[in-house]
Coordinates of all heavy atoms in Angstrom, one line a residue:
T1 N 5.3 -5.9 -6.0 CA 6.2 -5.6 -5.0 C 6.8 -6.9 -4.6 O 6.2 -7.9 -4.4 CB 5.3 -4.9 -3.9 OG1 4.7 -3.8 -4.3 CG2 6.3 -4.6 -2.6
F2 N 8.1 -6.8 -4.2 CA 8.9 -7.9 -3.8 C 9.9 -7.4 -2.7 O 10.3 -6.3 -2.8 CB 9.5 -8.8 -4.8 CG 10.5 -8.1 -5.6 CD1 11.8 -8.3 -5.4 CD2 10.1 -7.3 -6.8 CE1 12.8 -7.6 -6.3 CE2 11.1 -6.8 -7.6 CZ 12.4 -6.9 -7.4
Y3 N 10.4 -8.5 -2.0 CA 11.4 -8.1 -0.9 C 12.6 -8.9 -1.2 O 12.6 -10.2 -1.4 CB 10.8 -8.5 0.5 CG 11.6 -8.3 1.7 CD1 11.7 -6.9 2.1 CD2 12.4 -9.2 2.2 CE1 12.3 -6.7 3.3 CE2 13.1 -8.9 3.4 CZ 13.0 -7.6 3.8 OH 13.9 -7.4 5.0
A4 N 13.7 -8.1 -1.1 CA 15.1 -8.9 -1.5 C 16.2 -7.9 -0.8 O 16.0 -6.8 -0.8 CB 15.3 -8.9 -2.9
D5 N 17.2 -8.6 -0.3 CA 18.3 -7.8 0.3 C 17.8 -6.9 1.4 O 18.3 -5.7 1.4 CB 19.2 -7.2 -0.8 CG 19.7 -8.2 -1.7 OD1 20.1 -9.2 -1.3 OD2 19.8 -7.7 -2.9
K6 N 16.8 -7.2 2.2 CA 16.3 -6.4 3.2 C 15.7 -5.1 2.8 O 15.6 -4.1 3.5 CB 17.4 -6.1 4.2 CG 18.1 -7.3 5.0 CD 19.1 -6.9 5.9 CE 19.7 -8.2 6.5 NZ 20.7 -7.9 7.4
K7 N 15.2 -5.1 1.6 CA 14.4 -3.9 1.0 C 13.3 -4.3 0.2 O 13.1 -5.4 -0.3 CB 15.3 -3.1 0.0 CG 16.7 -2.6 0.7 CD 17.5 -1.7 -0.3 CE 18.7 -1.2 0.4 NZ 19.4 -0.5 -0.6
F8 N 12.3 -3.4 0.1 CA 11.1 -3.6 -0.7 C 11.4 -2.9 -2.1 O 11.9 -1.9 -2.1 CB 9.9 -3.1 -0.1 CG 9.5 -3.9 1.2 CD1 9.7 -3.6 2.4 CD2 8.8 -5.1 1.0 CE1 9.4 -4.2 3.6 CE2 8.3 -5.8 2.2 CZ 8.7 -5.3 3.3
Y9 N 11.0 -3.6 -3.2 CA 11.1 -3.0 -4.5 C 9.7 -3.1 -5.2 O 9.0 -4.2 -5.0 CB 12.1 -4.0 -5.3 CG 13.5 -3.9 -4.8 CD1 13.9 -4.8 -3.9 CD2 14.4 -2.8 -5.2 CE1 15.3 -4.7 -3.3 CE2 15.7 -2.7 -4.7 CZ 16.1 -3.7 -3.7 OH 17.3 -3.6 -3.2
D10 N 9.4 -2.2 -6.0 CA 8.2 -2.3 -6.8 C 8.6 -2.4 -8.2 O 9.5 -1.7 -8.7 CB 7.3 -0.9 -6.7 CG 6.8 -0.8 -5.4 OD1 6.1 -1.8 -4.9 OD2 6.7 0.3 -4.7
L11 N 8.1 -3.4 -8.9 CA 8.4 -3.6 -10.5 C 7.2 -3.1 -11.2 O 6.1 -3.6 -10.9 CB 8.7 -5.1 -10.6 CG 8.8 -5.5 -12.1 CD1 10.1 -4.9 -12.6 CD2 8.9 -6.9 -12.2
I12 N 7.5 -2.2 -12.0 CA 6.3 -1.6 -12.9 C 6.5 -2.1 -14.3 O 7.5 -2.1 -14.9 CB 6.5 0.0 -12.8 CG1 6.5 0.4 -11.4 CG2 5.4 0.5 -13.6 CD1 6.7 1.9 -11.2
V13 N 5.4 -2.8 -14.7 CA 5.2 -3.3 -16.0 C 4.1 -2.5 -16.7 O 3.1 -2.4 -16.2 CB 4.8 -4.9 -16.0 CG1 4.7 -5.3 -17.4 CG2 5.9 -5.6 -15.3
C14 N 4.6 -2.0 -17.9 CA 3.6 -1.2 -18.6 C 3.4 -1.7 -20.0 O 4.3 -2.5 -20.6 CB 4.2 0.2 -19.0 SG 4.5 1.2 -17.4
E15 N 2.2 -1.6 -20.5 CA 1.8 -2.2 -21.9 C 1.2 -1.1 -22.6 O 0.4 -0.3 -22.0 CB 0.8 -3.3 -21.8 CG 1.6 -4.6 -21.0 CD 0.5 -5.7 -20.9 OE1 -0.5 -5.8 -21.5 OE2 0.8 -6.6 -20.1
P16 N 1.4 -0.9 -24.0 CA 0.8 0.1 -24.7 C -0.8 -0.1 -24.7 O -1.2 -1.4 -24.8 CB 1.4 0.0 -26.1 CG 1.9 -1.3 -26.1 CD 2.4 -1.7 -24.8
I17 N -1.6 0.9 -24.8 CA -3.0 0.6 -25.0 C -3.4 0.4 -26.5 O -2.6 0.7 -27.3 CB -3.8 1.7 -24.3 CG1 -3.4 3.1 -25.1 CG2 -3.6 1.9 -22.9 CD1 -4.3 4.3 -24.5
K18 N -4.4 -0.3 -26.6 CA -4.9 -0.7 -28.0 C -5.8 0.3 -28.6 O -6.8 0.7 -28.0 CB -5.5 -2.0 -28.0 CG -4.6 -3.1 -27.4 CD -5.5 -4.5 -27.3 CE -4.7 -5.5 -26.6 NZ -5.4 -6.7 -26.3
D19 N -5.5 0.7 -29.8 CA -6.4 1.7 -30.6 C -7.4 2.4 -29.8 O -8.6 2.3 -30.0 CB -7.1 0.8 -31.6 CG -6.1 0.1 -32.6 OD1 -5.2 0.5 -32.9 OD2 -6.4 -1.1 -32.8
G20 N -6.9 3.4 -29.0 CA -7.7 4.2 -28.3 C -8.4 3.7 -27.1 O -9.3 4.4 -26.4
E21 N -8.2 2.5 -26.8 CA -8.8 1.9 -25.4 C -8.4 2.8 -24.3 O -7.1 3.2 -24.2 CB -8.2 0.5 -25.4 CG -8.7 -0.2 -24.2 CD -8.0 -1.6 -23.9 OE1 -7.5 -2.1 -24.9 OE2 -8.1 -2.1 -22.9
K22 N -9.3 3.0 -23.4 CA -8.9 3.8 -22.3 C -9.1 3.0 -21.1 O -10.1 2.3 -20.8 CB -10.0 5.0 -22.2 CG -9.6 6.0 -21.0 CD -10.6 7.2 -21.0 CE -10.2 8.1 -19.9 NZ -11.0 9.4 -20.0
I23 N -8.0 3.0 -20.3 CA -8.0 2.3 -19.0 C -8.0 3.2 -17.9 O -7.3 4.1 -17.8 CB -6.7 1.4 -18.9 CG1 -6.7 0.4 -20.1 CG2 -6.7 0.6 -17.7 CD1 -5.4 -0.4 -20.2
V24 N -9.0 3.0 -16.9 CA -9.1 3.9 -15.9 C -8.7 3.2 -14.6 O -9.2 2.0 -14.3 CB -10.5 4.5 -15.7 CG1 -10.7 5.3 -14.5 CG2 -10.9 5.1 -17.0
Y25 N -7.9 3.7 -13.8 CA -7.5 3.0 -12.5 C -8.0 3.9 -11.4 O -8.1 5.1 -11.4 CB -5.9 3.0 -12.4 CG -5.3 2.1 -13.5 CD1 -4.8 2.7 -14.7 CD2 -5.2 0.7 -13.3 CE1 -4.1 1.9 -15.6 CE2 -4.7 -0.1 -14.3 CZ -4.2 0.5 -15.3 OH -3.6 -0.4 -16.3
S26 N -8.2 3.2 -10.3 CA -8.7 3.8 -9.0 C -7.5 4.4 -8.4 O -6.3 4.2 -8.7 CB -9.3 2.8 -8.1 OG -8.3 2.0 -7.6
N27 N -7.7 5.3 -7.4 CA -6.6 5.9 -6.7 C -5.8 4.9 -5.9 O -4.6 4.9 -6.0 CB -7.1 7.0 -5.7 CG -7.6 8.2 -6.2 OD1 -7.3 8.5 -7.4 ND2 -8.5 8.9 -5.5
D28 N -6.5 3.9 -5.4 CA -5.6 2.7 -4.7 C -4.8 1.9 -5.7 O -3.7 1.7 -5.5 CB -6.5 1.9 -3.9 CG -7.0 2.5 -2.6 OD1 -6.5 3.5 -2.2 OD2 -7.9 2.0 -1.9
E29 N -5.3 1.7 -6.9 CA -4.7 1.1 -8.0 C -3.4 1.8 -8.4 O -2.3 1.2 -8.7 CB -5.5 0.6 -9.1 CG -6.5 -0.4 -8.9 CD -7.6 -0.6 -9.9 OE1 -7.8 0.4 -10.8 OE2 -8.2 -1.6 -10.0
L30 N -3.5 3.1 -8.6 CA -2.3 3.9 -8.9 C -1.4 4.0 -7.8 O -0.2 4.0 -8.0 CB -2.9 5.3 -9.2 CG -3.7 5.5 -10.4 CD1 -4.2 6.9 -10.6 CD2 -2.9 5.0 -11.6
L31 N -1.9 4.1 -6.5 CA -0.9 4.2 -5.4 C -0.1 2.7 -5.1 O 1.0 2.8 -4.9 CB -1.7 4.5 -4.2 CG -0.9 4.8 -2.9 CD1 0.2 5.9 -3.2 CD2 -1.9 5.2 -1.7
F32 N -1.0 1.6 -5.1 CA -0.4 0.4 -4.7 C -0.1 -0.6 -5.8 O 0.7 -1.5 -5.7 CB -1.3 -0.3 -3.8 CG -1.6 0.4 -2.4 CD1 -2.7 1.1 -2.3 CD2 -0.6 0.6 -1.5 CE1 -3.1 1.7 -1.1 CE2 -0.9 1.2 -0.3 CZ -2.0 1.9 -0.1
G33 N -0.7 -0.3 -7.0 CA -0.5 -1.2 -8.2 C -1.7 -2.1 -8.3 O -2.1 -2.8 -7.3
K34 N -2.3 -2.2 -9.4 CA -3.5 -3.0 -9.7 C -3.2 -4.5 -9.5 O -3.9 -5.1 -8.7 CB -4.0 -2.8 -11.1 CG -5.3 -3.5 -11.4 CD -5.8 -3.3 -12.8 CE -7.0 -4.0 -13.2 NZ -7.8 -4.8 -12.1
Q35 N -2.1 -5.0 -9.9 CA -1.7 -6.5 -9.8 C -1.5 -6.8 -8.2 O -1.9 -7.7 -7.7 CB -0.6 -6.7 -10.5 CG -0.2 -8.2 -10.5 CD 0.9 -8.6 -11.5 OE1 1.5 -7.7 -12.0 NE2 1.1 -9.9 -11.7
N36 N -0.9 -5.8 -7.4 CA -0.7 -6.0 -6.1 C -2.0 -6.1 -5.4 O -2.2 -7.1 -4.5 CB 0.1 -4.8 -5.4 CG 1.5 -4.9 -5.7 OD1 2.1 -6.0 -6.0 ND2 2.2 -3.8 -5.7
L37 N -3.0 -5.3 -5.6 CA -4.4 -5.4 -5.1 C -5.1 -6.5 -5.5 O -5.8 -7.2 -4.6 CB -5.1 -4.2 -5.4 CG -4.5 -2.8 -4.9 CD1 -5.3 -1.5 -5.3 CD2 -4.4 -2.9 -3.2
D38 N -5.0 -7.0 -6.7 CA -5.7 -8.1 -7.3 C -5.2 -9.5 -6.7 O -5.8 -10.4 -6.2 CB -5.7 -8.2 -8.7 CG -6.5 -7.1 -9.4 OD1 -7.3 -6.5 -8.6 OD2 -6.3 -6.8 -10.5
E39 N -3.8 -9.5 -6.6 CA -3.2 -10.8 -6.3 C -2.7 -11.0 -4.8 O -2.3 -12.0 -4.4 CB -2.0 -11.1 -7.3 CG -2.6 -11.3 -8.7 CD -1.5 -11.4 -9.7 OE1 -0.3 -11.7 -9.3 OE2 -1.9 -11.3 -11.0
L40 N -2.5 -9.7 -4.2 CA -1.7 -9.8 -2.9 C -0.6 -10.7 -2.8 O -0.6 -11.6 -1.9 CB -2.9 -10.1 -1.8 CG -4.1 -9.1 -1.7 CD1 -5.0 -9.7 -0.6 CD2 -3.5 -7.8 -1.3
P41 N 0.4 -10.4 -3.6 CA 1.7 -11.1 -3.5 C 2.4 -11.1 -2.2 O 2.2 -10.0 -1.4 CB 2.6 -10.7 -4.6 CG 2.1 -9.3 -4.9 CD 0.6 -9.3 -4.6
C42 N 3.2 -12.1 -1.8 CA 3.9 -12.2 -0.6 C 4.7 -10.8 -0.2 O 4.6 -10.2 0.9 CB 4.7 -13.3 -0.6 SG 5.5 -13.7 1.0
G43 N 5.3 -10.4 -1.1 CA 6.2 -9.2 -0.9 C 5.4 -8.0 -0.6 O 5.8 -7.2 0.2
F44 N 4.3 -7.8 -1.3 CA 3.4 -6.7 -1.1 C 2.7 -6.8 0.4 O 2.7 -5.9 1.0 CB 2.4 -6.7 -2.2 CG 1.2 -5.6 -2.0 CD1 1.6 -4.4 -2.2 CD2 0.0 -6.0 -1.8 CE1 0.7 -3.3 -2.0 CE2 -1.1 -5.0 -1.6 CZ -0.7 -3.7 -1.8
I45 N 2.3 -8.0 0.6 CA 1.8 -8.3 2.1 C 2.7 -7.9 3.1 O 2.5 -7.1 4.1 CB 1.3 -9.7 2.2 CG1 0.0 -9.8 1.4 CG2 1.0 -9.9 3.6 CD1 -0.4 -11.3 1.3
K46 N 4.0 -8.2 2.9 CA 5.1 -8.0 4.0 C 5.3 -6.5 4.0 O 5.4 -5.9 5.1 CB 6.4 -8.7 3.5 CG 6.4 -10.0 3.7 CD 7.9 -10.6 3.5 CE 7.8 -12.2 3.7 NZ 9.1 -12.8 3.4
K47 N 5.2 -5.8 2.8 CA 5.5 -4.3 2.9 C 4.2 -3.7 3.6 O 4.4 -2.8 4.4 CB 5.5 -3.7 1.5 CG 5.7 -2.3 1.5 CD 5.9 -1.6 0.1 CE 6.3 -0.2 0.2 NZ 5.6 0.7 1.0
I48 N 3.0 -4.0 3.4 CA 1.9 -3.5 4.0 C 2.0 -3.8 5.5 O 1.7 -2.9 6.4 CB 0.5 -4.1 3.4 CG1 0.4 -3.6 1.9 CG2 -0.7 -3.6 4.3 CD1 0.4 -2.2 1.7
E49 N 2.3 -5.0 5.9 CA 2.5 -5.3 7.3 C 3.5 -4.4 8.0 O 3.3 -3.9 9.1 CB 2.8 -6.8 7.5 CG 1.7 -7.7 7.2 CD 2.0 -9.2 7.1 OE1 3.2 -9.5 7.1 OE2 1.1 -10.0 7.2
K50 N 4.7 -4.1 7.3 CA 5.6 -3.2 7.8 C 5.1 -1.9 8.0 O 5.4 -1.1 9.1 CB 6.9 -3.2 7.0 CG 8.0 -2.5 7.4 CD 9.2 -2.3 6.5 CE 10.3 -1.3 7.0 NZ 9.9 -0.1 7.5
D51 N 4.4 -1.4 6.9 CA 3.9 -0.1 7.1 C 2.9 0.0 8.2 O 2.8 1.0 8.9 CB 3.2 0.3 5.7 CG 4.0 0.5 4.6 OD1 5.4 0.5 4.9 OD2 3.6 0.5 3.4
L52 N 2.1 -1.1 8.4 CA 1.1 -1.0 9.6 C 1.9 -1.0 10.9 O 1.4 -0.2 11.8 CB 0.2 -2.3 9.5 CG -1.0 -2.1 8.5 CD1 -1.6 -3.6 8.3 CD2 -2.0 -1.1 9.0
F53 N 2.9 -1.8 11.0 CA 3.7 -1.8 12.2 C 4.2 -0.3 12.5 O 4.2 0.1 13.6 CB 4.8 -2.7 12.2 CG 5.6 -2.8 13.4 CD1 5.3 -3.6 14.4 CD2 6.9 -2.0 13.3 CE1 6.2 -3.5 15.5 CE2 7.7 -2.2 14.5 CZ 7.4 -2.8 15.6
D54 N 4.8 0.2 11.3 CA 5.4 1.6 11.5 C 4.3 2.7 12.0 O 4.5 3.5 12.8 CB 6.1 2.0 10.3 CG 7.4 1.3 9.9 OD1 7.8 0.6 10.8 OD2 7.8 1.3 8.8
L55 N 3.2 2.6 11.3 CA 2.1 3.5 11.7 C 1.6 3.3 13.1 O 1.5 4.2 13.8 CB 0.9 3.4 10.8 CG 1.1 3.9 9.3 CD1 0.0 3.4 8.4 CD2 1.2 5.5 9.4
N56 N 1.4 2.1 13.5 CA 1.0 1.9 14.9 C 2.1 2.4 15.9 O 1.8 2.8 17.0 CB 0.8 0.3 15.2 CG -0.7 0.0 14.7 OD1 -1.7 0.6 15.1 ND2 -0.6 -0.9 13.6
E57 N 3.3 2.1 15.5 CA 4.5 2.6 16.3 C 4.5 4.2 16.6 O 4.5 4.7 17.5 CB 5.8 2.2 15.8 CG 7.0 2.6 16.6 CD 7.2 1.8 17.8 OE1 6.6 0.7 18.0 OE2 7.9 2.4 18.7
R58 N 4.1 4.9 15.5 CA 3.9 6.3 15.5 C 2.8 6.8 16.3 O 2.9 7.9 16.9 CB 3.9 6.8 14.1 CG 5.1 6.6 13.3 CD 4.9 7.2 11.8 NE 6.1 6.9 11.0 CZ 6.2 7.1 9.7 NH1 5.0 7.6 9.2 NH2 7.2 6.7 9.1
L59 N 1.7 6.1 16.4 CA 0.6 6.4 17.2 C 1.0 6.5 18.7 O 0.2 7.0 19.4 CB -0.6 5.3 16.9 CG -1.4 5.6 15.7 CD1 -2.5 4.5 15.5 CD2 -2.0 7.0 15.7
T60 N 2.1 5.8 19.1 CA 2.3 5.8 20.5 C 3.1 7.1 20.9 O 3.2 7.4 22.0 CB 3.4 4.6 20.9 OG1 4.6 4.8 20.1 CG2 2.7 3.2 20.5
R61 N 3.3 7.9 19.9 CA 4.1 9.2 20.1 C 3.0 10.3 20.4 O 1.9 10.1 20.1 CB 4.9 9.5 19.0 CG 6.0 8.5 18.7 CD 6.9 8.8 17.5 NE 7.7 7.7 17.2 CZ 8.2 7.5 16.0 NH1 8.0 8.4 15.0 NH2 9.0 6.6 15.7
D62 N 3.6 11.4 20.8 CA 2.7 12.6 21.0 C 2.4 13.3 19.8 O 3.4 13.6 19.1 CB 3.5 13.6 22.0 CG 2.6 14.8 22.3 OD1 1.3 14.5 22.2 OD2 3.2 15.9 22.6
L63 N 1.2 13.2 19.2 CA 0.8 13.7 17.9 C -0.3 14.6 18.0 O -1.1 14.6 19.0 CB 0.4 12.5 17.0 CG 1.3 11.4 16.8 CD1 0.7 10.1 16.1 CD2 2.5 11.7 15.9
S64 N -0.4 15.6 17.0 CA -1.5 16.4 16.8 C -2.8 15.4 16.5 O -2.7 14.4 16.0 CB -1.5 17.4 15.8 OG -1.5 16.9 14.5
E65 N -4.0 16.0 16.8 CA -5.1 15.2 16.6 C -5.3 15.0 15.1 O -5.7 13.8 14.6 CB -6.3 15.9 17.0 CG -7.7 15.1 17.0 CD -8.8 15.8 17.6 OE1 -8.6 16.8 18.4 OE2 -10.0 15.5 17.1
K66 N -5.0 15.9 14.3 CA -5.0 15.8 12.7 C -4.2 14.6 12.3 O -4.6 13.8 11.5 CB -4.6 17.1 12.1 CG -4.7 17.0 10.5 CD -4.3 18.3 10.0 CE -4.3 18.1 8.5 NZ -3.7 19.1 7.7
T67 N -2.9 14.7 12.8 CA -1.9 13.6 12.3 C -2.4 12.2 12.9 O -2.3 11.3 12.1 CB -0.5 13.9 12.9 OG1 -0.2 15.3 12.4 CG2 0.5 12.9 12.4
R68 N -2.8 12.2 14.1 CA -3.3 10.9 14.7 C -4.5 10.4 13.8 O -4.5 9.2 13.5 CB -3.9 11.1 16.1 CG -4.3 9.9 16.8 CD -4.5 10.1 18.3 NE -3.3 10.4 19.0 CZ -2.5 9.5 19.3 NH1 -2.5 8.3 19.1 NH2 -1.3 9.9 20.0
N69 N -5.4 11.2 13.4 CA -6.6 10.8 12.6 C -6.1 10.3 11.2 O -6.6 9.3 10.7 CB -7.6 12.0 12.4 CG -8.4 12.1 13.8 OD1 -8.5 11.1 14.6 ND2 -8.8 13.3 13.9
E70 N -5.1 11.0 10.7 CA -4.5 10.6 9.4 C -4.0 9.2 9.5 O -4.1 8.4 8.5 CB -3.5 11.6 8.8 CG -4.1 13.0 8.4 CD -3.1 14.1 8.1 OE1 -1.9 13.8 8.3 OE2 -3.5 15.1 7.7
F71 N -3.1 9.0 10.5 CA -2.5 7.6 10.7 C -3.6 6.6 10.9 O -3.5 5.4 10.2 CB -1.6 7.7 11.9 CG -0.3 8.3 11.7 CD1 0.5 8.6 12.8 CD2 0.2 8.8 10.4 CE1 1.8 9.2 12.5 CE2 1.3 9.5 10.2 CZ 2.1 9.7 11.2
I72 N -4.7 6.8 11.6 CA -5.8 5.9 11.9 C -6.4 5.6 10.6 O -6.7 4.5 10.3 CB -6.7 6.4 13.0 CG1 -6.1 6.4 14.3 CG2 -8.0 5.6 13.0 CD1 -6.8 7.1 15.4
C73 N -6.7 6.6 9.7 CA -7.3 6.3 8.5 C -6.5 5.5 7.6 O -6.9 4.5 6.8 CB -7.6 7.6 7.7 SG -9.0 8.7 8.3
E74 N -5.1 5.8 7.6 CA -4.1 5.0 6.7 C -4.1 3.5 7.2 O -4.0 2.6 6.4 CB -2.8 5.6 6.8 CG -1.7 5.0 5.8 CD -2.1 5.2 4.4 OE1 -2.9 6.0 4.0 OE2 -1.4 4.4 3.6
I75 N -4.1 3.3 8.6 CA -4.1 2.0 9.2 C -5.4 1.2 8.7 O -5.3 0.1 8.4 CB -4.0 2.1 10.7 CG1 -2.6 2.4 11.1 CG2 -4.5 0.8 11.3 CD1 -2.5 2.8 12.5
E76 N -6.5 1.9 8.7 CA -7.8 1.3 8.3 C -7.7 0.9 6.9 O -8.2 -0.1 6.4 CB -9.0 2.1 8.5 CG -9.3 2.4 10.0 CD -10.3 3.5 10.3 OE1 -10.7 4.2 9.3 OE2 -10.7 3.6 11.4
K77 N -7.2 1.7 5.9 CA -7.0 1.5 4.5 C -6.1 0.3 4.3 O -6.4 -0.6 3.6 CB -6.4 2.7 3.8 CG -6.2 2.3 2.3 CD -5.5 3.4 1.7 CE -6.4 4.6 1.3 NZ -5.6 5.6 0.4
L78 N -4.9 0.2 5.0 CA -4.0 -0.8 4.8 C -4.6 -2.2 5.3 O -4.4 -3.2 4.8 CB -2.8 -0.5 5.5 CG -1.9 0.7 4.9 CD1 -0.6 0.9 5.6 CD2 -1.6 0.4 3.4
T79 N -5.3 -2.1 6.4 CA -5.9 -3.3 7.1 C -7.0 -3.8 6.1 O -7.1 -5.1 5.8 CB -6.6 -2.9 8.4 OG1 -5.7 -2.4 9.3 CG2 -7.3 -4.2 9.0
K80 N -7.8 -3.0 5.4 CA -8.8 -3.4 4.4 C -8.0 -4.1 3.2 O -8.5 -5.1 2.7 CB -9.6 -2.3 3.9 CG -10.6 -1.8 4.9 CD -11.4 -0.7 4.3 CE -12.4 -0.2 5.3 NZ -13.2 0.9 4.8
I81 N -6.9 -3.5 2.8 CA -6.2 -4.1 1.7 C -5.7 -5.5 2.1 O -5.8 -6.4 1.3 CB -5.0 -3.2 1.3 CG1 -5.5 -2.0 0.6 CG2 -4.0 -3.9 0.3 CD1 -4.5 -0.8 0.4
L82 N -5.1 -5.7 3.3 CA -4.7 -7.0 3.7 C -5.9 -8.0 3.8 O -5.7 -9.1 3.6 CB -4.1 -6.9 5.1 CG -2.6 -6.5 5.1 CD1 -2.1 -6.5 6.6 CD2 -1.7 -7.4 4.3
N83 N -7.0 -7.5 4.1 CA -8.2 -8.4 4.2 C -8.9 -8.6 2.8 O -9.9 -9.2 2.7 CB -9.2 -7.9 5.1 CG -8.7 -7.9 6.6 OD1 -7.8 -8.8 6.9 ND2 -9.1 -7.0 7.4
G84 N -8.3 -8.1 1.8 CA -8.8 -8.3 0.4 C -10.0 -7.4 0.1 O -10.8 -7.7 -0.8
K85 N -10.2 -6.2 0.9 CA -11.4 -5.5 0.7 C -11.1 -4.1 0.3 O -11.5 -3.1 0.9 CB -12.2 -5.4 2.1 CG -12.6 -6.8 2.6 CD -13.2 -6.7 3.8 CE -13.7 -8.1 4.3 NZ -14.1 -8.1 5.7
N86 N -10.3 -3.9 -0.8 CA -9.9 -2.6 -1.2 C -10.8 -2.0 -2.0 O -11.8 -2.4 -2.7 CB -8.5 -2.8 -2.0 CG -8.4 -3.9 -3.0 OD1 -9.5 -4.6 -3.2 ND2 -7.3 -4.2 -3.5

């Protein structure tokens, strides 16, 4: 993930698997990118920080309990990622 021209971009790099080798990714690795989670590049951190800001902003609105709990869970997940505890 990188930031340029006031936008976030995800660059996806794929490699063929070798002779039947099976690679299994976690849900977070599929959602955020394995390299992003392993290396926490600057652009990725900025995107997570922006997402956290937006979620906290939404929590100030009138929300259903279900939606509020979903936002809180997402905030907790993103905070763990920023702290390198994914």
Side-chain angles (χ1 to χ4, degrees):
T1 301
F2 62 96
Y3 184 79
D5 300 322
K6 300 180 183 179
K7 294 182 185 177
F8 290 100
Y9 296 91
D10 290 315
L11 175 65
I12 300 170
V13 178
C14 300
E15 297 177 11
I17 57 175
K18 301 173 188 174
D19 299 324
E21 177 184 346
K22 185 175 181 179
I23 300 173
V24 179
Y25 294 100
S26 70
N27 288 338
D28 284 347
E29 289 172 337
L30 291 172
L31 185 60
F32 298 107
K34 182 171 177 18
Q35 188 174 10
N36 283 335
L37 294 174
D38 290 345
E39 299 175 11
L40 296 174
C42 183
F44 179 67
I45 290 172
K46 285 182 182 180
K47 181 174 188 319
I48 296 298
E49 289 172 341
K50 180 186 179 311
D51 291 348
L52 280 168
F53 178 84
D54 292 345
L55 285 166
N56 280 300
E57 180 72 23
R58 290 178 187 172
L59 281 178
T60 65
R61 301 179 188 157
D62 186 27
L63 303 169
S64 71
E65 185 175 338
K66 180 183 177 195
T67 301
R68 180 172 298 282
N69 288 336
E70 289 172 356
F71 286 171
I72 290 170
C73 287
E74 187 67 18
I75 288 168
E76 289 172 356
K77 177 193 279 190
L78 295 176
T79 300
K80 284 181 184 177
I81 287 171
L82 278 183
N83 293 328
K85 299 175 184 173
N86 45 9

